[in-house]
Amino acid sequence: MINSYSGHYAYNKITILQVAPDSVGIYYCGYLGSDGKLYPLYIGRAKGDGVSIRSRLLDHTRDDNWPSVTHFGYHVCSTKQEAENLEIQEIKRCNPKYNSQWTTPFAR
């Protein structure tokens, strides 16, 4: 089961530690538009087995590769397979700037 979207939260270590779940799922890293929507720059997957949404987001803050990312959101999933399928669908739908694995040369 894919849970409802949770977000938009400030993209910083304190907020991630407070609100990001220790669960399998996908997460969106992006910025808020003037319309209040989150525009994803990166969509990632937490596959479980010690790799949670929280741990992946914390990894990204340590790397600090995305200065334009200001907010994040997520979907908790019941299984790794659900998370993988949702990640693929969402990358295709949103075509985030920092994802390249599931995009096509014609998508941009």
Side-chain angles (χ1 to χ4, degrees):
M1 181 175 117
I2 299 169
N3 291 336
S4 299
Y5 173 80
S6 294
H8 323 306
Y9 303 105
Y11 181 71
N12 60 60
K13 289 178 186 180
I14 292 170
T15 304
I16 291 168
L17 287 167
Q18 290 174 342
V19 301
D22 228 2
S23 306
V24 173
I26 71 163
Y27 55 92
Y28 306 79
C29 296
Y31 64 92
L32 289 183
S34 58
D35 56 3
K37 291 182 182 178
L38 181 69
Y39 289 88
L41 295 170
Y42 181 79
I43 298 172
R45 173 175 36 101
K47 59 186 177 185
D49 300 326
V51 180
S52 67
I53 293 171
R54 180 183 304 142
S55 68
R56 291 298 296 134
L57 286 166
L58 288 171
D59 288 345
H60 294 308
T61 60
R62 274 190 288 279
D63 296 342
D64 197 27
N65 292 333
W66 305 325
S68 51
V69 170
T70 61
H71 288 77
F72 74 93
Y74 60 86
H75 285 282
V76 171
C77 299
S78 299
T79 66
K80 293 180 209 181
Q81 189 63 52
E82 262 182 2
E84 184 176 313
N85 292 340
L86 182 59
E87 178 193 29
I88 292 166
Q89 290 172 352
E90 289 296 273
I91 289 171
K92 286 180 180 178
R93 183 180 71 83
C94 299
N95 195 23
K97 179 178 180 178
Y98 299 126
N99 288 93
S100 59
Q101 183 177 4
W102 304 109
T103 58
T104 66
F106 305 107
R108 290 195 189 261

